Amino acid sequence: MTSIAAYGTWESPISAADVARGAVAVSYPSIAGGEVWWMERRPSEGGRSTIVACASPGAAPRELLPAPWNARTRVHEYGGKSYLPVPSLSLAGGFDLVFANFADQRLYAAGGAVDAGISPVPLTPSDLGFRFADMVLSPDGEEIWCVREISLPAPPAGEALPDGFHLGGGMAVRRDIVAVPLDGSAATDPAAIRVLVSGAQFFAFPTPSPDGTRLAWISWNHPNMPWDGTELRVCAVTGDTVQVADATLVMGGAAESVLAPVWRDDAALYAISDASGWWNLYEVPAEGGSPRALHPLAEEFAGPMWQLGGRPFDVLGDGRLVVLHGLGEHRLGLLDPDSGALTDLDLPGYRNADAEIAVAGTTIAAIAGGPRTPWSVLRITADDGFEVMKSQPIAAPDPAYLPDARPVRLPAGPNGEVVHALVYAPSHPLLTGPAGELPPYIVHVHGGPTSNSVPVVSMEKAYFTSRGIGVIDINYGGSTGYGREYRNRLRGQWGIVDVADAYTAALGLASAGEADRDRLGIRGGSAGGWTALAAVTSGPYLTGTKEAVFAAVTSYYGVADLRPFATDTHDFESRYMDGLIGPLPEADQLYVERAPVGHVNELTCPILLLQGLDDPVVPPAQSEAMAADLAAHGIRHAYIAFEAESHGFRKTETLIESLEAELAFYGEIFGFTPPGVPPVELS
């Protein structure tokens, strides 16, 4: 029997601490010696990332990297896969662990001796501004081939940059594909690191051929992002550094995004390209030539490359490919490259997979989840079922506390455009809202903006929906998962298309009688925070809406002022605005017109600003400028800053405090008192 209680006041067994415990992130699986290895980020340990190995679901996982070691690379600031299993050179055999340590960004090698208290051994020098990512074992097994990033303070004005460096994000930056010896000689001799490939601003996927005579990779230059245009090139492996311009261009260009090369054999490669408008799989000769589409489909076989080291497909021992594919989601399937036949793997409950696949023979390791199952590490036998090695914890005592994801397509423009979204209605097994009362709803805006939201169970969403607050997860124009044309809706239109789509989602729910029109909120992090802030500042005028759609905004480290962001952010995104807004200085006026800072007005509602003080992507000055603008206009707001937090909160205490502050903020604005959380003080 259900009882009646006002929306937002429902008693829920899901606490902010439960959400934080459930934020243990599993990622980047590998297979080594019959075990599945993966990265595991732990909020309870200050957000430290460790490496875990497990032989079977019934066996106790082994932690390969004890505290205080932290496997996290800062290449591109977003990092990625930060470790690699390598065959051990010891008589005991097995596999050693090579990893990038967050504190000093050096590569280290660790064997079984770590369990005995012996420290990992450094492989690279210290204090030279080196960072490493995207590691692969060399064909002879004696080196790690990887992307090296060097980030140094920019020279004084008028002085030339060092050879091979470019200026990005206020730093002198250089990237190469390098060979790091596993014997440790480079720890004291930087010259022992061999430069294999140079001459581009960005590199990814260093991939040696089976016979070890050639190397394939992906590269690109400013102002492109890797989803705009990249090149797949191949060169012979020699003792000399190869310049990108001297290597064979196999596929790609300024308006074609190519990703994830894998060698079929010594004569040809498989790769993903969006030349058709969709990231599809192709076979291409290693010497260049016409690519062959393996399974042409109006679906995506990859996602945006925000991090390095993940592979969206790989080759099984029998020649078949394990792939991701879908529209707005990614299912795991098997593709026969000869016949083109594509068959989905039977994974009940795990219909969404992340772009992080590893194979050994016909065994597959993947990260997957579903609407009722959290992100989990799976070990899959290609033709014979799967096992769950580790799942993110769910704290709901009854599945009825977890919301269902309802996909919707909403009209988004006069030319037939649609906006994709997922609606999560309030859900509680014992409570319902009063007759005649509609629930408040929060529009959740993902980051990127080139990212997307998929229907995988989320404790964070359940934290709100189990209290009577609905959530609509919006994949606005510019999101990935729906082809290049949908992605390109945002080109030159950031702050317009994304904001208009957020309005469409919120007002669509209200007009359908599902949400309270006067209690609509919007939240987002990073680029999602930008959209949330723009929706109540510059957005109403740029979109022609000119009405207050939202009554509350929560910005997690959101972009607020474009010109400083374009000059102060890190190199990877330092030219991102060229495509989203326009190049500087030509588009300077657009940067002024679109920015939330400077456009607080009579339609601006109360805002909660949450910010990490060590954020190199969206520095604290962004939130501070927004808070000052709100204060100058007498708009109610709160600015909460967290020490030792970067771009994306990682620590348990931060996750708890920020989520409880957000809930209390909605209660203050929407007119209810959420039980069990302290009030938030608004200036």
Side-chain angles (χ1 to χ4, degrees):
M1 180 176 179
T2 58
S3 301
I4 295 174
Y7 290 110
T9 68
W10 296 356
E11 293 274 1
S12 171
I14 301 173
S15 68
D18 292 328
V19 178
R21 279 191 289 272
V24 172
V26 291
S27 61
Y28 295 109
S30 299
I31 302 174
E35 292 183 307
V36 177
W37 294 20
W38 65 87
M39 286 175 59
E40 187 168 300
R41 190 179 74 217
R42 298 174 175 174
S44 62
E45 298 182 30
R48 183 179 78 91
S49 289
T50 185
I51 311 301
V52 177
C54 189
S56 67
R62 297 190 303 123
E63 183 175 353
L64 304 181
L65 200 63
W69 299 99
N70 186 356
R72 180 180 167 196
T73 173
R74 287 189 60 185
V75 171
H76 297 179
E77 294 300 346
Y78 290 105
K81 186 176 181 180
S82 303
Y83 77 99
L84 183 72
V86 298
S88 177
L89 298 178
S90 70
L91 295 177
F95 284 81
D96 290 341
L97 167 68
V98 173
F99 68 97
N101 185 49
F102 179 66
D104 56 12
Q105 289 299 293
R106 301 174 79 182
L107 291 184
Y108 287 81
V114 175
D115 297 332
I118 299 175
S119 294
V121 177
L123 299 180
T124 57
S126 63
D127 302 324
L128 293 178
F130 289 1
R131 301 171 178 179
F132 302 89
D134 221 345
M135 293 177 277
V136 64
L137 188 66
S138 66
D140 62 9
E142 296 182 359
E143 296 173 316
I144 296 295
W145 291 2
C146 59
V147 175
R148 180 184 65 182
E149 177 182 271
I150 308 176
S151 185
L152 302 173
E159 290 190 16
L161 289 167
D163 184 45
F165 283 73
H166 66 273
L167 193 63
M171 301 290 287
V173 184
R174 173 175 174 161
R175 297 179 186 88
D176 308 282
I177 296 176
V178 301
V180 177
L182 281 168
D183 63 10
S185 58
T188 55
D189 179 14
I193 299 176
R194 296 189 300 126
V195 177
L196 301 176
V197 185
S198 189
Q201 292 175 331
F202 298 93
F203 290 97
F205 298 109
T207 309
S209 62
D211 64 5
T213 63
R214 286 188 288 188
L215 179 66
W217 69 85
I218 299 294
S219 58
W220 69 99
N221 293 307
H222 284 312
N224 272 351
M225 299 298 284
W227 43 87
D228 295 327
T230 60
E231 295 180 342
L232 167 57
R233 289 184 178 265
V234 174
C235 74
V237 175
T238 67
D240 300 320
T241 302
V242 173
Q243 289 295 311
V244 166
D246 298 327
T248 302
L249 175 60
V250 173
M251 200 177 194
E256 178 186 355
S257 174
V258 182
L259 302 169
V262 175
W263 289 88
R264 185 199 69 185
D265 50 32
D266 293 325
L269 302 105
Y270 299 121
I272 290 176
S273 166
D274 71 350
S276 69
W278 300 87
W279 273 314
N280 277 196
L281 269 160
Y282 295 84
E283 179 186 287
V284 57
E287 300 295 340
S290 298
R292 177 177 70 91
L294 300 184
H295 189 93
L297 199 61
E299 292 185 2
E300 301 279 48
F301 284 71
M305 190 173 62
W306 278 99
Q307 295 181 311
L308 298 178
R311 285 193 173 272
F313 78 98
D314 212 335
V315 183
L316 296 174
D318 59 14
R320 290 178 297 172
L321 308 182
V322 56
V323 303
L324 303 170
H325 74 100
L327 188 65
E329 302 181 27
H330 275 143
R331 301 183 300 280
L332 274 168
L334 297 177
L335 175 61
D336 184 327
D338 296 323
S339 68
L342 176 61
T343 305
D344 284 346
L345 289 165
D346 186 17
L347 304 171
Y350 296 90
R351 80 183 203 197
N352 283 284
D354 212 347
E356 304 165 5
I357 295 173
V359 303
T362 56
T363 301
I364 304 158
I367 306 294
R372 291 282 171 167
T373 47
W375 292 112
S376 304
V377 182
L378 304 184
R379 180 168 63 189
I380 307 161
T381 303
D383 299 301
D384 191 27
F386 71 99
E387 301 170 303
V388 180
M389 311 300 286
K390 173 66 181 282
S391 294
Q392 290 177 318
I394 293 180
D398 185 331
Y401 287 105
L402 302 175
D404 290 313
R406 174 166 59 90
V408 296
R409 289 163 52 96
L410 302 165
N415 299 319
E417 300 97 340
V418 298
V419 56
H420 301 271
L422 300 164
V423 177
Y424 297 86
S427 180
H428 198 293
L430 304 176
L431 296 171
T432 188
E437 180 183 342
L438 292 172
Y441 257 84
I442 309 299
V443 175
H444 175 78
V445 189
H446 65 66
T450 311
S451 185
N452 80 321
S453 296
V454 296
V456 172
V457 67
S458 162
M459 292 301 296
E460 184 179 74
K461 291 184 179 67
Y463 179 77
F464 294 108
T465 57
S466 65
R467 288 169 167 78
I469 303 170
V471 176
I472 179 167
D473 225 343
I474 179 174
N475 282 320
Y476 50 88
S479 303
T480 49
Y482 307 96
R484 190 176 184 109
E485 183 178 352
Y486 193 78
R487 214 160 67 229
N488 284 348
R489 281 188 60 213
L490 205 61
R491 288 194 68 84
Q493 298 296 306
W494 197 36
I496 299 178
V497 164
D498 50 326
V499 169
D501 286 356
Y503 293 159
T504 294
L507 295 175
L509 280 180
S511 63
E514 296 184 49
D516 186 338
R517 172 65 183 84
D518 296 325
R519 294 192 294 174
L520 297 173
I522 184 169
R523 73 191 298 265
S526 190
W530 149 274
T531 300
L533 294 171
V536 298
T537 53
S538 55
Y541 298 96
L542 292 172
T543 61
T545 302
K546 297 188 178 179
E547 66 170 319
V549 175
F550 298 109
V553 171
T554 301
S555 167
Y556 284 77
Y557 35 87
V559 179
D561 195 354
L562 284 174
R563 284 186 294 182
F565 177 75
T567 57
D568 295 346
T569 194
H570 60 129
D571 180 53
F572 179 64
E573 292 185 88
S574 63
R575 297 290 300 279
Y576 196 7
M577 298 302 101
D578 285 29
L580 294 174
I581 305 289
L584 288 172
E586 297 88 339
D588 184 72
Q589 189 56 37
L590 293 179
Y591 282 59
V592 176
E593 292 173 359
R594 303 270 183 92
V597 167
H599 290 92
V600 174
N601 57 69
E602 69 278 3
L603 300 181
T604 302
C605 63
I607 294 176
L608 173 63
L609 300 162
L610 303 164
Q611 177 71 47
L613 291 178
D614 292 342
D615 192 337
V617 179
V618 180
Q622 291 279 321
S623 290
E624 291 163 3
M626 193 70 216
D629 201 1
L630 294 169
H633 287 81
I635 303 295
R636 300 174 71 199
H637 68 282
Y639 172 49
I640 304 175
F642 299 95
E643 293 185 358
E645 284 287 8
S646 183
H647 198 67
F649 296 158
R650 291 171 170 263
K651 297 160 59 176
T652 293
E653 55 269 32
T654 304
L655 296 171
I656 293 172
E657 184 178 346
S658 59
L659 203 55
E660 289 186 342
E662 185 179 357
L663 178 61
F665 172 65
Y666 295 143
E668 175 71 20
I669 303 305
F670 293 154
F672 58 79
T673 302
V677 299
V680 62
E681 183 178 347
L682 300 181
S683 300

